[in-house]
Structure formats: structure tokens, C-alpha cells
């Protein structure tokens, strides 16, 4: 799907503009009656006084259809469009019997996760951040997994910042989410856009001929994952995201997505051979406002295949360090990258130091530049 020239103006989005224009809002969902928002802290809440009449819904959907040069009626009942930063999906009221459903998801060219906030909020402690960052530095193949909306791509954005500038990254996606070049200015990146499912094998093959050091596939959903694993077998490194409920289920998930019943065992073996690490993210499901939206890194697992035996070793499980040691295969990769202690990463230490200093300066000087003494002073 090509990005379309939607006018990012109040006139175009009307009643929805204040939410589209608010950088703290990540998702806008209208179910025909109620308007629900999700913010950058992953807290989802309703807007009781949204004032969205049926007439506006009709006008807005027609405006999107006209801009995208698509039909939208009881036959063509699904309307999808995207810009560089928005994914818009609309379901016609002939199908959505509760009323026309509008979903707008933002993907901004920025990293929302900071090392300081990750530690403070319980998203991950310093050792977890360091271990995953070191997996990237050691050129491991990594899959970030979790349910919808848990922030898989945001996590990948954060950790891939440690990739050196001279290593070429090729991103492949059908909906623009990585924004790798904008997030990492000056680094070598080629962004490829898949226009259909059939495009992925061709683009992955082209990435091999364009001197890729890394292939980043945003959200593996189907057979494309098989071609990504094949690319990893050539020595190219990579990162992807996928839907899972446990790190240990990644091989089965990949086999199911591949749709290749004749070669299931071979594909499973390839996952254990070429996928180095799996990261599972979770989010709170409680209705308690204090817990709603909280996310954390729950599992870190290392995949190995030695002497015909496939194994997933969980180094972290249920947000806690396990007694299992990091497998020798992974330790050898760390040591080849000059990493003696996988739980210590200078880049993470530096990020924490810089962010803590910035926070201290903000408290000391305040917005007006006058020293603001807090309770702890």
C-alpha cells in the first residue's frame, strides 16, 4: 500500500484532529458510538464527550476514500490508507453492525522508550537492558514478541540504536513503522516497502544483493518469515517482531506461519539454528488505572541446536533472572564481539547517566531557569 497525500490539517480530520495532532496519543478507535484513545504510556481510556456525529463519520470516510482513490460501500466494506506516520482502517456499517468503525494508529519517527524510564517504571532493569543491547552488538538474530499493542516495534527501535553507523540496515515492511533513518540519522539504511505479501521474498532477496548487514522485518505475519530465516542462514543478521504468548512458542509460531507442511521439521530446526534470542513483552490487563497500560520485558530466551538437539534456554522468566546459564553458543558470540559480561553495556550506562543528568538539571533550573528545590533537597 502506498502512502497517500492526506492533508494533515484540522479541516481534513475535523473532530479527530485534536487527537491526531497530540503526540501523546498513539491510537484512536471509534466503534460507531464510543471513542477510545491509547496514550504513549499504553493507557487506554474512553472519551465520554467526543461529540462525533454520524454526519462527520460519513464525511470523513468519504474524504479518505477520495484521497486514496478507493470505493467504500456495502460491497467494498474495508477501507485502508496510510501516510508516513498514520495507519487508517475503516469498516463500513453494513459489516460493523455497531456502526462504522474507525481505527487510526500512529507510528512516529521517534523512540518512545528511554533507559531511565524503563528502569523507573519497571519495564526492565539495567541488566535486562544491557543483555538485550549486547545481543544486538553481538550481531544476534532477535525476535521481539507479544500480544497486539504491547510495543514490540518500539522495543526493537530502542535496542537497535546500538547498531554501528557503518553497518547497512535494510528495513522491509508493508506499513511504515521502523523509521530507522529518521531515528538514527547518519547511519546507513535502505527502507523497502512491500506492496503485497508476494513482495516479501523478492525484497528479501534484493536485500542480499544490496550488501545488507541487517534485515529488519516489521511484524512477521505469514510465509515471509520462512524467507527471513533463509536470509539469516547466509550470515546476514536480523530483527523481527511477531505475535506470541511465550518465548518458547516462537518455533511453533514460525512453522505455522510458514504454511509449509512438507518441511515443518526442517523449518523448526532452522529456527533453533539461526534465531539466537527471543524477547517476550507483556502488559497489564487489570482494569485498575494504576496498572492499566503497564508494560514490561517478561522473558528472554536463547535458542540453540547442538548435536541434533533443539533447546530454548530462558535466562529471564516472569520478569526474573533464572538459574539457567546463557548457552555456550551465545557466550561465544558475545566474546567474539568483545563482550565479556553480557549484563553490562557501556551504551546503556551512558544513556542512563545522560538522562539522569538531564532530569537533575531540569529539576534544579525549572522551566524558568530559577533553581527549583524539591522535597528531597
Amino acid at each position: 500500500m502506498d502512502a497517500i497525500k492526506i492533508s494533515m490539517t484540522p479541516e481534513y480530520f475535523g473532530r479527530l484532529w485534536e487527537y491526531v495532532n497530540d503526540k501523546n496519543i498513539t491510537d484512536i478507535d471509534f466503534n460507531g458510538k464510543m471513542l477510545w484513545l491509547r496514550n504513549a504510556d499504553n493507557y487506554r481510556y474512553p472519551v465520554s464527550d467526543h461529540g462525533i456525529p454520524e454526519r462527520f463519520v460519513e464525511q470523513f470516510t468519504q474524504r479518505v476514500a477520495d484521497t486514496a482513490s478507493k470505493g467504500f460501500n456495502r460491497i467494498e466494506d474495508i477501507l485502508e490508507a496510510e501516510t508516513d506516520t498514520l495507519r487508517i482502517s475503516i469498516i463500513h456499517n453494513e459489516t460493523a453492525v455497531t456502526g462504522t468503525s474507525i481505527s487510526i494508529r500512529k507510528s512516529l519517527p521517534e523512540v518512545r522508550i528511554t533507559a531511565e524510564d524503563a528502569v523507573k517504571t519497571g519495564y526492565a532493569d539495567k541488566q535486562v537492558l544491557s543483555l538485550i543491547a549486547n545481543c544486538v552488538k553481538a550481531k544476534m538474530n532477535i525476535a521481539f514478541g507479544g500480544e497486539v499493542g504491547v510495543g514490540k516495534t518500539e522495543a526493537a527501535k530502542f535496542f537497535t540504536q546500538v547498531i554501528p553507523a557503518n553497518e547497512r540496515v535494510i528495513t522491509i515492511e508493508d506499513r511504515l513503522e521502523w523509521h530507522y533513518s529518521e531515528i538514527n540519522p547518519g547511519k546507513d539504511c535502505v527502507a523497502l516497502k512491500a506492496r503485497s505479501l508476494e513482495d516479501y521474498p523478492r525484497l528479501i532477496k534484493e536485500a542480499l544483493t544490496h550488501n545488507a548487514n541487517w534485515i529488519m522485518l516489521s511484524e512477521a505475519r505469514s510465509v515471509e518469515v520462512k524467507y527471513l530465516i533463509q536470509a539469516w542462514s547466509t550470515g546476514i543478521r536480523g530483527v523481527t517482531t511477531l505475535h506470541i504468548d511465550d518465548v518458547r512458542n516462537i518455533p511453533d509460531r514460525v512453522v505455522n506461519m510458514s504454511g509449509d507442511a512438507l518441511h515443518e521439521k526442517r523449518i523448526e530446526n532452522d529456527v533453533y539454528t539461526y534465531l539466537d534470542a527471543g524477547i517476550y513483552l507483556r502488559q497489564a490487563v487489570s482494569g485498575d488505572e494504576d496498572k492499566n497500560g503497564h508494560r514490561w520485558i517478561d522473558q528472554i530466551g536463547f535458542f540453540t541446536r547442538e548435536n541434533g538437539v533443539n533447546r530454548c534456554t530462558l535466562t529471564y522468566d516472569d520478569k526474573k533472572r533464572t538459574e539457567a546459564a546463557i548457552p555456550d553458543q551465545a557466550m561465544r558470540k558475545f566474546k567474539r564481539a568483545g563482550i565479556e559480561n553480557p549484563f553490562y553495556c557501556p551504551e546503556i550506562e551512558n544513556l542512563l547517566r545522560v538522562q539522569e543528568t538531564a532530569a537533575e538539571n531540569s529539576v534544579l533550573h525549572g522551566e524558568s531557569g530559577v533553581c527549583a528545590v524539591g522535597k528531597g533537597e
Side-chain angles (χ1 to χ4, degrees):
M1 186 191 305
D2 292 323
I4 61 176
K5 297 298 181 182
I6 280 179
S7 175
M8 298 295 289
T9 62
E11 291 74 24
Y12 194 97
F13 284 93
R15 305 278 181 127
L16 300 175
W17 173 249
E18 64 175 293
Y19 312 116
V20 170
N21 194 44
D22 187 341
K23 284 192 172 183
N24 194 47
I25 302 298
T26 63
D27 294 84
I28 304 163
D29 296 312
F30 180 69
N31 65 12
K33 296 179 179 65
M34 297 179 66
L35 179 68
W36 288 80
L37 305 177
R38 188 187 298 276
N39 64 22
D41 295 323
N42 199 34
Y43 177 57
R44 194 166 188 262
Y45 57 96
V47 179
S48 56
D49 226 358
H50 58 72
I52 297 177
E54 185 176 338
R55 179 62 178 159
F56 165 76
V57 174
E58 294 173 358
Q59 292 173 339
F60 177 70
T61 54
Q62 191 57 53
R63 201 175 296 139
V64 174
D66 290 344
T67 307
S69 299
K70 295 179 179 178
F72 186 62
N73 47 56
R74 61 186 303 172
I75 305 301
E76 298 175 277
D77 58 347
I78 305 291
L79 174 61
E80 293 190 339
E82 69 176 40
T83 71
D84 291 339
T85 57
L86 299 179
R87 289 164 50 181
I88 302 173
S89 180
I90 306 174
I91 304 175
H92 198 277
N93 57 21
E94 286 289 332
T95 301
V97 295
T98 49
T100 299
S101 176
I102 301 172
S103 178
I104 302 176
R105 191 169 201 184
K106 298 183 195 175
S107 177
L108 301 177
E110 59 188 40
V111 179
R112 291 195 175 102
I113 298 172
T114 68
E116 182 187 23
D117 285 345
V119 173
K120 284 183 177 178
T121 62
Y123 178 83
D125 63 30
K126 185 165 61 173
Q127 286 193 331
V128 167
L129 296 177
S130 295
L131 178 60
I132 300 173
N134 279 330
C135 286
V136 178
K137 291 178 66 178
K139 297 180 172 56
M140 293 187 183
N141 296 321
I142 305 170
F144 290 88
E147 63 183 47
V148 175
V150 77
K152 300 180 289 294
T153 302
E154 287 301 320
K157 286 180 182 178
F158 174 77
F159 289 107
T160 53
Q161 291 179 102
V162 302
I163 294 176
N166 65 339
E167 293 184 8
R168 169 164 279 196
V169 171
I170 295 186
T171 61
I172 304 174
E173 51 192 338
D174 57 354
R175 295 173 176 174
L176 301 177
E177 293 183 331
W178 284 109
H179 303 294
Y180 188 87
S181 292
E182 295 91 334
I183 292 170
N184 302 279
K187 293 189 177 183
D188 188 8
C189 175
V190 177
L192 303 181
K193 184 172 175 59
R195 306 189 193 285
S196 67
L197 187 61
E198 292 72 24
D199 239 4
Y200 279 99
R202 180 177 66 86
L203 293 181
I204 291 172
K205 181 180 178 180
E206 286 302 314
L208 300 178
T209 65
H210 280 255
N211 300 317
N213 298 112
W214 294 82
I215 293 178
M216 294 187 185
L217 183 67
S218 176
E219 194 173 339
R221 305 185 195 95
S222 188
V223 295
E224 69 271 13
V225 71
K226 178 172 66 174
Y227 300 99
L228 179 65
I229 299 294
Q230 289 175 3
W232 288 352
S233 73
T234 69
I236 287 179
R237 305 296 90 193
V239 177
T240 192
T241 68
L242 70 170
H243 295 142
I244 55 167
D245 57 5
D246 190 291
V247 159
R248 290 163 290 195
N249 292 338
I250 290 178
D252 284 343
R253 175 77 173 129
V254 172
V255 168
N256 290 337
M257 287 191 294
S258 70
D260 190 347
L262 292 177
H263 303 99
E264 286 185 354
K265 192 59 183 177
R266 190 198 71 196
I267 294 170
E268 178 186 339
N269 292 341
D270 284 349
V271 174
Y272 282 95
T273 302
Y274 300 115
L275 176 64
D276 296 294
I279 318 297
Y280 174 55
L281 298 100
R282 286 185 62 191
Q283 60 185 355
V285 296
S286 170
D288 185 345
E289 184 170 331
D290 292 335
K291 296 179 180 179
N292 190 355
H294 176 54
R295 299 167 173 171
W296 65 92
I297 294 174
D298 195 65
Q299 294 178 322
I300 302 176
F302 291 92
F303 294 87
T304 56
R305 176 172 171 78
E306 288 188 288
N307 301 320
V309 177
N310 296 331
R311 182 174 287 111
C312 175
T313 303
L314 288 182
T315 304
Y316 279 85
D317 189 21
D318 196 21
K319 207 180 179 180
K320 296 186 291 289
R321 179 88 175 266
T322 69
E323 296 181 0
I326 295 175
D328 290 342
Q329 282 188 9
M331 287 303 301
R332 285 195 292 270
K333 292 187 177 183
F334 283 129
K335 289 179 179 179
R336 282 201 297 267
I339 300 167
E340 293 297 326
N341 179 6
F343 299 97
Y344 172 81
C345 178
E347 287 85 351
I348 295 297
E349 294 285 345
N350 185 56
L351 278 174
L352 285 168
R353 186 163 51 249
V354 169
Q355 290 162 6
E356 287 170 358
T357 300
E360 289 170 2
N361 289 339
S362 177
V363 171
L364 286 173
H365 298 292
E367 291 184 0
S368 63
V370 179
C371 179
V373 180
K375 293 181 180 179
E377 296 295 317

